[in-house]
Every structure is written in structure tokens, then in C-alpha cells.
Amino acid sequence: MLSITALSDTNKSRSNCSQRMDKITTIKGFKDILPDETGKWQYIEENARRIFACFGFSEIRTPILERTELFKRSIGESTDIVEKEMYTFTDRGDESLTLRPEATASVIRAYIEHALYAKDNIAKLYTIGPMFRRERPQKGRYRQFHQINAEALGIEDPRIDAELILMLTHFLDQVGLSEVALEINSLGCIRCRSDFKKSIVTFLKGKEKDLCEDCRRRITTNPLRVFDCKVQTCAEIIKDAPGLLDFICTECSDHFEKVKDSLQLFNIPFRINPKMVRGLDYYTKTAFEVTTNLLGAQNAIAGGGRYDALVKHLGGPDVAGIGFAIGFERLLALVSMKDKQFSDVPQLFIAALGEAAQKKAFVFCNRLKLKGIPSEMDYTGKSLKSQMKRADKLESLYVLILGDKEIAENSAELRNMRKSTQETVELDRIEEIVIRKIQEG
Ligand code: AMP
């Protein structure tokens, strides 16, 4: 047992301690999603799950931490993501690990590791979760952000490219976002891209001095990446560069034509942007991006494309693939949630006055919860007025007013908060009456 002096010493040191303690806050570019926001997140997620399931997609969840090698090999060593943005560290076992900067690589790793291709030659997978990139934080750009990803594996047919874009635009429309622009391009296959690379190198010859240091290096390592350089002078130069579409082979060109035809079948408007290359090395053939002019600088909501060589490149079979990623935070910033009720309000609030009433209320309130009826009560024994205030704040549909006097009389007052009506109900039948009333609305 503590003596009184020891106790007061403890209190003293506790108060000294609390004076010295600094608040610990989130890391720059990371943010909390607070309870009054999570309803919106759930609303978007529910829509994604419902719509993607209609298109035959199943959920996959992969770890957020992977071997660094996975991202280097898939996204590409000379991309901005791998060169500058990954959260990479050596763990206590001396292994280089990375917080995933995107989901496709992890999904494909899991697809290969668990031989999902052996169970079905077609796999349609989606995943929702956090990604990590150490970019410069600004409005709409975070270091931890969330994506909704969908990947279709095992289908070469160009109709699946259009179907995936249809699923994406339909989903955006269903959550209330129809003012978007779709841009598409074909990045060709490995073979036709090599001619394109040569022509870019020729184009950039003599312009080296006006390029940033990274792009000068990229001329030899990965000339395509000059297209997504964010430095103004590089962007100006690349405007006049040849476009990919002039270099794609007949097979890639046919594929692209069929994608366009299929999009037209669903009246999906699109613009061809021959300069869009996307920031990841694994894309082949179709690439697409959904943008909006409502977001300012960070105008991309979603992006994706085909990656027919990636599965093999990561050690799997020769299986075609296509996918997209939607930026969750950017989508949330755009979707109007005005008319939607997100948090579950209690159906019943019990205002209990007196010891016997509190005891009765405690049992009754929890019995209702066990029956799936959201209920709340007051635990402080405050006045009826302040309990009613709390019921109002919680937007409870009904309030049950229970006092020791009512208990003695086997009755309680049931108040309909929307209609401002009140009636006396029999306490013995309270559960049955309340449930009926709530069901009647
Ligand atoms: P990406 O994986 O780069 O193709 O990005 C797909 C989508 O994720 C983009 O269209 C954005 O909506 C979103 N996104 C990418 N990077 C960030 C970031 N740093 N912060 C917030 N959203 C992002």
C-alpha cells in the first residue's frame, strides 16, 4: 500500500511530468481520418465493393510492407517513385524493405506466389488501402494516401480495357462524380517502344543543357521518363517531342482501335493524349488517366493501363494484365456528401433519473444493442434537462424517460423526438413497444 507521502510524491511527479510532456503529432504528409469523416470513406468503399463485384472482381488484401526489390523490378529503377519517393529501410534482419508506393506490384506478387493463375486463368482482383510516397506534401498530395485498385489478369482482349474503364467511370458517376475527363494513349509493346525510345533520344540530342539533371541522366537510362518530369523547362521541351502513337506496331494499333471502338459503344467520351506515358515503367499498350479541373494542381483522380509483360517479369507465367488506381483522398474532396447521413444515430436514448431507473436503463439499453438497435443512455445521473440535451445532440429518434417514480408505477414516457409527441407506455412491455415504434419509424 502507498503511504500518504508517497502518494503525494507520485502526484507531484505526475504533474511535473504533464508539464514537460510535448504533444506527439502525426508525421508530415500523414493524416488521421477522424470519426466524422469515416462515414464518407465507408460510403465510397461500399460503392466500390458493390460495383466491382458486379463486374466480377474479388477483394485481395496484401501486406503494406514488401521487399524493396519488388518495386524496383516492377515500377522501374529510374522512375521518380523508386528513385526519390519510396520509404525504404533496412530492418533488423538486414533486409531492405519498402512501404508499398502502389498496389499493382504487390497484387501481382501475391498472384504469382499463390499460383492464382493455376486455379483460374482469369483473375479479377481489387484492393483498397494506404500507399506511401515521400513526395512534397500539398493540397491533394500526401505521403500516406489511399487508393482503390482493380486488376484484371489473363485477358488480352481489348474489350476488357474498355470494360475496366467503364467500371471506373460508372463507379465515379455512382458516387456523384461525373464531371471528369478521360485521356487515353497507347504505349505500345516492348518491341515498338524501342523505336520510340531511339527517336526520343535523337529528339533530345542538343537539348541536354536545357534539361534538368535527372532528365539528362534519363536520356541514357530511361528516355520515356522525361515525359513525366515535373520541371517546367523539361515539360516545355517535351511538348514538341514525337508521340508514341506514331511508332506503335500494327498489333498495338489494332488493339488501340478496338479499345476506342468499345468505349464508343458505351458513349464514354475520351481524348487521345499521345504524350501521356504514366509514371511507372510496366505499362504496355493502353494507358489512361481520369482528370478533373475541380482539384487545382493535383488534377488526376485515377490512372491505369495494361501491363502485359509484368507478370512474367516478376517471375510468373506469361499472363496479360490491366488495372487502375483511384486516389481516395482526391475523390473524397470532390464528392458532395451533403444529403447523406453517415453516422448511425441512436434509435433510442434513455434518460434515467434515480438509482433504480439507472439500473433498469443499463440493462434495457444493452439488451436493445444486442438486438441490433443502436441505443444510448446517460451514465452521469445529470438532470433531465441535460440528458434531453444530450439526446438531442446525438439526434436520437426516441427518448425513453425513466424515473424511480415511473418504475414504481410500472410506466415510462416515450418521446418521439422528430414529431415532438410523447406517450406513457407500460414498463413491462417496454421492449416490445419500443421495437415496434422504431420499426414503424
Ligand atoms: P498512380 O499510382 O501514380 O498512377 O496514381 C493513381 C492515383 O492515385 C492518382 O490519380 C491520384 O489520384 C492518387 N495519388 C497518387 N499519388 C498521390 C499522393 N501523393 N497523394 C494523394 N493521392 C495520390
Side-chain angles (χ1 to χ4, degrees):
M1 224 165 89
L2 280 173
S3 71
I4 290 183
T5 19
L7 197 65
S8 69
D9 279 353
T10 314
N11 284 341
K12 228 185 277 163
S13 71
R14 217 178 264 152
S15 76
N16 282 345
C17 208
S18 66
Q19 276 163 12
R20 276 203 308 272
M21 287 292 191
D22 284 334
K23 267 191 293 183
I24 299 171
T25 56
T26 47
I27 309 164
K28 188 176 171 192
F30 286 61
K31 64 189 184 83
D32 299 309
I33 303 159
L34 299 172
D36 62 357
E37 300 167 274
T38 46
K40 295 178 188 176
W41 285 74
Q42 286 161 9
Y43 168 77
I44 302 268
E45 281 175 21
E46 279 157 19
N47 271 279
R49 290 178 201 287
R50 179 176 52 79
I51 292 165
F52 293 6
C54 262
F55 280 78
F57 283 72
S58 313
E59 188 178 9
I60 183 167
R61 301 185 192 195
T62 61
I64 55 166
L65 201 56
E66 299 270 4
R67 289 175 214 282
T68 304
E69 179 58 22
L70 173 67
F71 302 115
K72 281 193 179 169
R73 217 200 295 172
S74 55
I75 299 170
E77 298 245 20
S78 49
T79 56
D80 268 2
I81 295 180
V82 172
E83 272 183 350
K84 301 178 191 167
E85 297 168 1
M86 293 202 308
Y87 281 93
T88 297
F89 63 95
T90 308
D91 81 345
R92 287 167 199 271
D94 249 358
E95 190 168 13
S96 179
L97 302 177
T98 294
L99 282 172
R100 65 178 182 194
E102 62 107 44
T104 306
S106 303
V107 171
I108 303 303
R109 195 249 332 116
Y111 172 79
I112 298 168
E113 188 170 336
H114 304 285
L116 297 185
Y117 49 84
K119 293 181 190 129
D120 190 343
N121 55 358
I122 290 173
K124 291 184 187 173
L125 307 165
Y126 77 89
T127 191
I128 303 174
M131 309 295 151
F132 305 84
R133 293 182 198 173
R134 204 178 187 287
E135 294 185 87
R136 197 165 44 80
Q138 62 180 82
K139 193 166 178 282
R141 191 160 76 193
Y142 310 100
R143 288 180 172 177
Q144 177 182 314
F145 59 98
H146 296 71
Q147 285 185 342
I148 303 173
N149 290 77
E151 319 287 346
L153 295 150
I155 312 171
E156 281 172 39
D157 194 299
R159 280 175 297 179
I160 197 70
D161 306 28
E163 192 173 305
L164 206 77
I165 294 172
L166 174 69
M167 179 170 94
L168 169 61
T169 52
H170 174 62
F171 163 71
L172 294 175
D173 182 62
Q174 288 289 294
V175 295
L177 193 65
S178 42
E179 279 176 53
V180 293
L182 169 70
E183 290 192 345
I184 59 168
N185 191 20
S186 174
L187 303 186
C189 57
I190 311 267
R191 268 172 297 124
C192 44
R193 209 147 47 181
S194 90
D195 290 342
F196 176 66
K197 276 186 186 165
K198 278 184 212 145
S199 102
I200 292 297
V201 173
T202 314
F203 170 82
L204 293 174
K205 275 247 161 73
K207 301 183 177 70
E208 292 91 341
K209 63 177 186 341
D210 298 320
L211 292 172
C212 72
E213 202 186 317
D214 284 341
C215 283
R216 252 178 272 148
R217 186 171 32 85
R218 283 166 182 152
I219 295 178
T220 38
T221 56
N222 195 348
L224 226 70
R225 295 277 69 91
V226 180
F227 279 88
D228 42 42
C229 181
K230 286 153 198 145
V231 176
Q232 191 61 32
T233 47
C234 301
E236 282 299 320
I237 290 172
I238 213 72
K239 261 190 201 159
D240 302 321
L244 260 153
L245 289 176
D246 297 330
F247 291 83
I248 58 174
C249 64
T250 319
E251 194 206 316
C252 290
S253 169
D254 282 352
H255 186 100
F256 195 46
E257 287 308 311
K258 285 179 184 149
V259 174
K260 288 189 282 182
D261 288 348
S262 303
L263 287 174
Q264 272 153 1
L265 290 177
F266 298 101
N267 296 320
I268 301 174
F270 59 84
R271 191 177 82 84
I272 296 168
N273 177 358
K275 302 281 161 67
M276 187 233 296
V277 293
R278 315 267 307 118
L280 304 96
D281 274 356
Y282 54 61
Y283 287 119
T284 51
K285 292 185 178 164
T286 318
F288 53 92
E289 222 158 56
V290 176
T291 56
T292 168
N293 50 19
L294 303 170
L295 274 177
Q298 301 308 317
N299 67 349
I301 304 168
R306 226 173 222 288
Y307 44 81
D308 289 348
L310 181 62
V311 181
K312 194 167 177 205
H313 188 63
L314 287 177
D318 195 1
V319 168
I322 179 164
F324 65 70
I326 305 168
F328 214 128
E329 285 80 359
R330 292 188 196 170
L331 181 58
L332 273 176
L334 290 170
V335 173
S336 164
M337 304 278 180
K338 278 199 293 285
D339 309 324
K340 300 187 177 73
Q341 174 86 54
F342 289 111
S343 53
D344 273 343
V345 295
Q347 309 267 8
L348 183 75
F349 184 91
I350 310 176
L353 295 158
E355 208 175 308
Q358 279 272 332
K359 195 170 173 187
K360 189 109 189 148
F362 179 60
V363 175
F364 181 42
C365 187
N366 281 295
R367 280 172 66 121
L368 285 180
K369 287 179 200 165
L370 295 177
K371 292 205 158 134
I373 297 173
S375 317
E376 287 291 333
M377 65 170 283
D378 164 83
Y379 295 98
T380 62
K382 281 187 185 158
S383 70
L384 179 61
K385 195 173 160 206
S386 83
Q387 293 196 38
M388 291 304 282
K389 245 180 157 173
R390 175 140 182 85
D392 223 23
K393 191 173 171 198
L394 293 174
E395 296 177 41
S396 181
L397 302 181
Y398 284 90
V399 176
L400 187 75
I401 303 162
L402 202 59
D404 287 353
K405 182 173 146 276
E406 278 83 3
I407 291 188
E409 289 169 2
N410 189 31
S411 71
E413 293 296 309
L414 185 64
R415 187 171 176 77
N416 184 322
M417 297 295 275
R418 299 282 185 277
K419 296 184 185 154
S420 293
T421 54
Q422 194 163 313
E423 61 186 298
T424 307
V425 291
E426 212 179 308
L427 202 53
D428 285 344
R429 291 179 50 229
I430 193 78
E431 201 164 315
E432 167 206 331
I433 296 169
V434 166
I435 291 175
R436 181 164 45 79
K437 290 266 176 207
I438 286 168
Q439 279 162 356
E440 283 168 9

